[in-house]
Amino acid sequence: MAAPTEGRLQPGRPWPLGATAEAGGVNFAVPSAHAEAMLLCLFDDAGQVELQRLPLPARTGDVWHGFLPGAAAGLVYGYRAHGPWQPAAGQRFNDLKLLLDPWAREIVGRHQWRQENVGADPRDNATFALKARVLPADDGFDWQGDRRLHTPLADTVLYELHVKGFTRQHPGVPAEQRGTYAGLASDAAVAHLKRLGVSAVSLLPVHQHIDEERLVAMGLSNYWGYNTIGFFAPEPSYAATPDARTEFRQMVRRLHAEGIEVILDVVFNHSAETDEHGPTISFRGLDNAGWYRLRHESRALYENDTGCGNTLDIRQPRVLQLVMDSLRWWVGEMHVDGFRFDLAPVLGRGNHGFDRDGAFFMALRQDPLLQGVKLIAEPWDIGPGGYQLGQFPAGWLEWNDKFRDTMRAFWLGHPAHRGDFARRLAGSADLFHQRGRAPGEGVNYVVSHDGFTLRDLLTYEQRRNQANGEDNRDGHGHNLGWNCGQEGETDDAAVQERRARLARALLATVLLAQGTPMIAAGDELGHTQDGNNNPYCQDNAITWIDWAAADEALIDFTARLIGLRRTLLPLGERWYSGFPDAEGQPDLAWFGADGRPLGAAQWHDGDARALGAWIGQPGRAQAPLLLLVNADADDTAFVLPEAPAGWQRLLDTAETATGTQPAPAPAASPLRVRGRSLVLLAATPAP
């Protein structure tokens, strides 16, 4: 440790927040509007022995600050905040608690669940508390000219994955790198991403997090990582080396070199301190009322719009500053390409509910560093008015669960009609176009990390979450899945074929639809979680992708779909009005199997699951396209519209593998489309 040469702090500056190494020492600045005093506590390199306690000598507004001459990068520190212990008034100060700097760039230690860490226990928690380490102003990392990729939405295919689970069992990844950032950047992992043709990896949370006490007591962990404590620090358990920050950067640099963007799932809606019975780690002890939304009827309790015990209060300037500083850090210092915001309506909650013109959105809109990064909302939380799909500002992408539910219902025999299917396939204009937003702002998916895998959606109708320790009560009970005739795995060839055909149809529906597609890692190779549809706490073979059991044919099929999307962009880059263009041809025309336009009653006939789409302005294709959909169990004969030189079949999801997919071949009318499948045709080029 670079020990300070003087025992007294100088006033220093109130900015930037956090610890800043500079010539001659380190500047410390931490906000607290209600603290009465703030102590800087210095530790040995391991963070086990407290060496000094120094009062921060200056306060500017709500920021306590001081400059420590002679200190340098490597210094380990924490804070103790003095103030009233008045939970009923929203204050929970306890100077016996060592507190982590919210702006910590590197965190020392791992949180341990001991009584010393819980609630207002009077015993000191310094030995077990998390501390921060000061980073150098410039660590000299060689980016080798790396820049963000700015992949257009029209070319974006999102691939959601967990850093650990993706490579933990991959035989092609060096053993010491499996389950790490280095593993994701390995030749074997990159080869799979390139084979598929995805344009971006959307990583489940990589901010440093802790496990809930309840899970630890059961021998489990928060595998997904939605329990953040360090908004600037990469999760160290995902690193093969002691230097997680450098390893993460190397991963980003490698993926960028391969044309793959890196998008982070970020959790700014709550912190790991949970409810009023949770641990005091950082925010609660620094200024409880300044960080969290507290209930009006009792400020000893927390608003719980997140379902995680607390809700960060974006209305507070320092909370907003933390979020913005973190985003800027990950873009500027770590070169990520975008963010997926967990429970994003929390970030737009003002005094009177969700506000798309709120401070957070305005701050993002004007920030020069964050211009052009991909911003993706999970557009719901569990608070009042928390479902906000379609209501985010222009330029934001949103997970479209209406697409998910409609496509599941339509293909898997639940109540649905052709009008719903067509609306979702053609960009969900009712959600986005009405506010002048681009179709690519809807993220289309049928499976994400949250719920059944694609294989399990077609294998189980009842969740099997007993391993989570909640008596199978957790997870969604209404999944709109279908076991295809038998619950669980089976050797029945007919059931297996039915499941495989539907898996291909669902993948094709996502990847050929208008909007930005997202697939969950493992769905392209038949990954199963044994029926667990909420494996957030399963850091084991339940969630780790089993590469030894990979369905190579399904991988090839998925890659073919992505290739077709990129080549043809079947539903185009712009809105399809259904009205004729200047040459008298409609952009998009829907018809029944008999070749005739669908009437109002036919659109809403819940028993009919066959329809066709004539795509007259097919994006990048050189000729019109036909998409024929048959979600009925039986084969259906489609009367094809006339084309000067006929039609060629490009894709048939009833085929079992890419190897049997024909080269473009003539398609005669009427064309038989097998049950539970779709066919893509292109007009034959005129001679």
Side-chain angles (χ1 to χ4, degrees):
M1 179 182 74
T5 58
E6 299 181 23
R8 296 183 61 186
L9 285 163
Q10 298 174 3
R13 303 183 313 277
W15 46 265
L17 294 178
T20 306
E22 53 192 62
V26 175
N27 192 79
F28 296 88
V30 61
S32 179
H34 299 97
E36 296 171 351
M38 189 72 65
L39 299 182
L40 172 68
C41 304
L42 306 181
F43 288 80
D44 67 337
D45 287 347
Q48 293 298 298
V49 179
E50 187 171 359
L51 304 176
Q52 289 179 280
R53 295 187 185 183
L54 305 172
L56 288 179
R59 179 177 181 178
T60 301
D62 64 345
V63 178
W64 299 81
H65 51 95
F67 181 80
L68 185 59
L75 184 68
V76 177
Y77 71 98
Y79 292 111
R80 297 181 189 275
H82 290 255
W85 173 263
Q86 296 176 346
Q91 301 300 346
R92 294 176 178 268
F93 290 101
N94 181 351
D95 58 89
L96 294 178
K97 296 288 185 181
L98 187 78
L99 305 172
L100 178 67
D101 185 353
W103 275 261
R105 265 51 173 183
E106 182 177 308
I107 297 175
V108 177
R110 298 293 290 177
H111 182 76
Q112 300 179 47
W113 278 106
R114 301 173 62 96
Q115 186 60 39
E116 287 89 338
N117 292 339
V118 179
D121 192 281
R123 288 172 288 182
D124 191 8
N125 69 336
T127 302
F128 311 103
L130 300 175
K131 296 97 180 172
R133 191 188 305 277
V134 180
L135 294 186
D138 181 2
D139 59 10
F141 181 77
D142 184 5
W143 280 104
Q144 300 176 4
D146 176 76
R147 294 290 187 273
R148 298 207 315 269
L149 297 179
H150 298 289
T151 304
L153 283 188
D155 294 317
T156 295
V157 177
L158 301 172
Y159 186 72
E160 189 192 32
L161 65 83
H162 189 286
V163 167
K164 182 174 185 178
F166 186 64
T167 63
R168 183 62 179 78
Q169 298 188 106
H170 199 305
V173 176
E176 67 277 9
Q177 295 181 356
R178 293 174 189 168
T180 68
Y181 306 120
L184 182 53
S186 68
D187 290 345
V190 169
H192 182 74
L193 299 174
K194 297 285 285 184
R195 176 184 177 185
L196 285 178
V198 297
S199 72
V201 289
S202 182
L203 307 182
L204 267 68
V206 298
H207 288 172
Q208 190 159 342
H209 67 276
I210 67 172
D211 301 319
E212 294 89 335
E213 182 181 23
R214 175 184 60 83
L215 294 178
V216 173
M218 293 190 294
L220 301 172
S221 65
N222 191 316
Y223 170 70
W224 283 351
Y226 291 93
N227 204 41
T228 304
I229 197 60
F231 293 99
F232 299 83
E235 171 57 42
S237 68
Y238 299 160
T241 64
D243 189 351
R245 185 173 61 260
T246 294
E247 189 174 322
F248 183 93
R249 287 165 159 173
Q250 291 169 338
M251 176 197 74
V252 172
R253 188 178 64 192
R254 173 69 195 281
L255 291 173
H256 280 180
E258 301 292 343
I260 298 169
E261 292 185 311
V262 178
I263 295 171
L264 304 187
D265 196 335
V266 290
V267 187
F268 294 115
N269 55 77
H270 75 282
S271 85
E273 292 183 317
T274 68
D275 62 14
E276 59 274 9
H277 303 294
T280 297
I281 301 172
S282 177
F283 312 99
R284 175 175 288 138
L286 286 169
D287 191 353
N288 186 62
W291 283 100
Y292 295 114
R293 297 181 75 109
L294 305 177
R295 296 187 186 180
H296 294 295
E297 64 274 19
S298 174
R299 292 180 63 77
L301 304 177
Y302 296 86
E303 293 285 359
N304 190 18
D305 296 331
T306 65
C308 299
N310 65 58
T311 304
L312 288 170
D313 192 351
I314 199 71
R315 298 170 300 182
Q316 302 292 341
R318 298 308 178 188
V319 180
L320 177 59
Q321 184 173 359
L322 175 81
V323 174
M324 295 300 297
D325 285 355
S326 174
L327 296 177
R328 290 173 59 83
W329 169 264
W330 287 95
V331 170
E333 300 296 327
M334 310 297 266
H335 283 208
V336 304
D337 301 276
F339 305 93
R340 180 266 189 190
F341 294 85
D342 181 62
L343 303 182
V346 167
L347 299 172
R349 283 189 178 273
N351 294 326
H352 305 289
F354 180 80
D355 180 5
R356 74 172 67 93
D357 296 320
F360 171 64
F361 300 122
M362 294 298 102
L364 275 174
R365 189 175 300 174
Q366 62 77 44
D367 192 289
L369 181 60
L370 300 178
Q371 297 303 302
V373 302
K374 289 183 171 64
L375 305 172
I376 306 172
E378 181 184 40
W380 49 79
D381 62 34
I382 68 168
Y387 189 75
Q388 294 291 333
L389 177 61
Q391 300 305 310
F392 279 72
W396 277 72
L397 283 70
E398 300 181 41
W399 275 26
N400 188 350
D401 66 323
K402 289 188 181 296
F403 182 98
R404 177 198 66 193
D405 293 349
T406 296
M407 297 313 179
R408 288 185 181 189
F410 191 80
W411 281 107
L412 304 183
H414 300 281
H417 53 71
R418 289 179 288 193
D420 286 338
F421 180 90
R423 183 180 295 113
R424 301 297 158 229
L425 192 75
S428 295
D430 58 322
L431 299 173
F432 300 106
H433 186 45
Q434 62 173 332
R435 296 189 51 241
R437 297 176 61 190
E441 293 178 16
V443 175
N444 297 330
Y445 68 105
V446 292
V447 168
S448 68
H449 72 277
D450 189 4
F452 281 134
T453 67
L454 180 60
R455 180 188 181 108
D456 290 353
L457 183 70
L458 304 170
T459 304
Y460 302 94
E461 293 183 7
Q462 303 299 322
R463 61 186 184 268
R464 298 188 176 190
N465 299 354
Q466 288 84 357
N468 298 352
E470 299 182 43
D471 297 324
N472 207 35
R473 296 189 304 269
D474 62 309
H476 298 294
H478 182 61
N479 296 282
L480 296 171
W482 180 40
N483 63 21
C484 296
Q486 184 167 330
E487 185 75 2
E489 298 291 343
T490 179
D491 294 329
D492 187 311
V495 173
Q496 289 181 338
E497 194 282 332
R498 198 174 296 137
R499 290 172 177 171
R501 186 180 295 194
L502 281 167
R504 293 191 295 272
L506 286 165
L507 284 168
T509 303
V510 170
L511 289 166
L512 298 181
Q514 189 175 34
T516 298
M518 182 184 78
I519 57 176
D523 282 348
E524 78 282 9
L525 53 82
H527 173 55
T528 177
Q529 294 171 166
D530 300 326
N532 192 323
N533 75 349
N534 189 36
Y536 75 101
C537 55
Q538 299 298 324
D539 185 3
N540 49 49
I542 291 175
T543 51
W544 303 340
I545 292 177
D546 183 2
W547 293 91
D551 184 338
E552 295 293 330
L554 188 58
I555 296 173
D556 287 341
F557 178 81
T558 307
R560 175 174 169 78
L561 284 171
I562 294 174
L564 280 172
R565 177 183 180 86
R566 183 160 288 118
T567 302
L568 302 175
L569 214 62
L571 283 175
E573 301 183 43
R574 63 187 181 85
W575 288 108
Y576 288 97
S577 65
F579 293 102
D581 62 14
E583 297 180 357
Q585 298 295 327
D587 290 344
L588 178 66
W590 300 95
F591 57 91
D594 60 3
R596 299 177 180 176
L598 294 170
Q602 293 171 304
W603 277 117
H604 295 89
D605 182 354
D607 295 325
R609 305 272 166 134
L611 75 164
W614 189 94
I615 305 168
Q617 297 290 330
R620 295 169 183 165
Q622 300 301 308
L625 300 172
L626 283 184
L627 187 65
L628 308 178
V629 176
N630 180 20
D632 288 324
D634 298 326
D635 296 354
T636 296
F638 278 81
V639 176
L640 305 182
E642 292 187 5
W647 297 96
Q648 292 182 326
R649 185 173 61 162
L650 302 181
L651 176 76
D652 186 345
T653 63
E655 302 290 351
T656 58
T658 298
T660 64
Q661 289 288 335
S669 180
L671 179 68
R672 182 172 66 95
V673 177
R674 281 169 282 186
R676 304 187 178 101
S677 67
L678 64 80
V679 171
L680 180 66
L681 307 173
T684 303

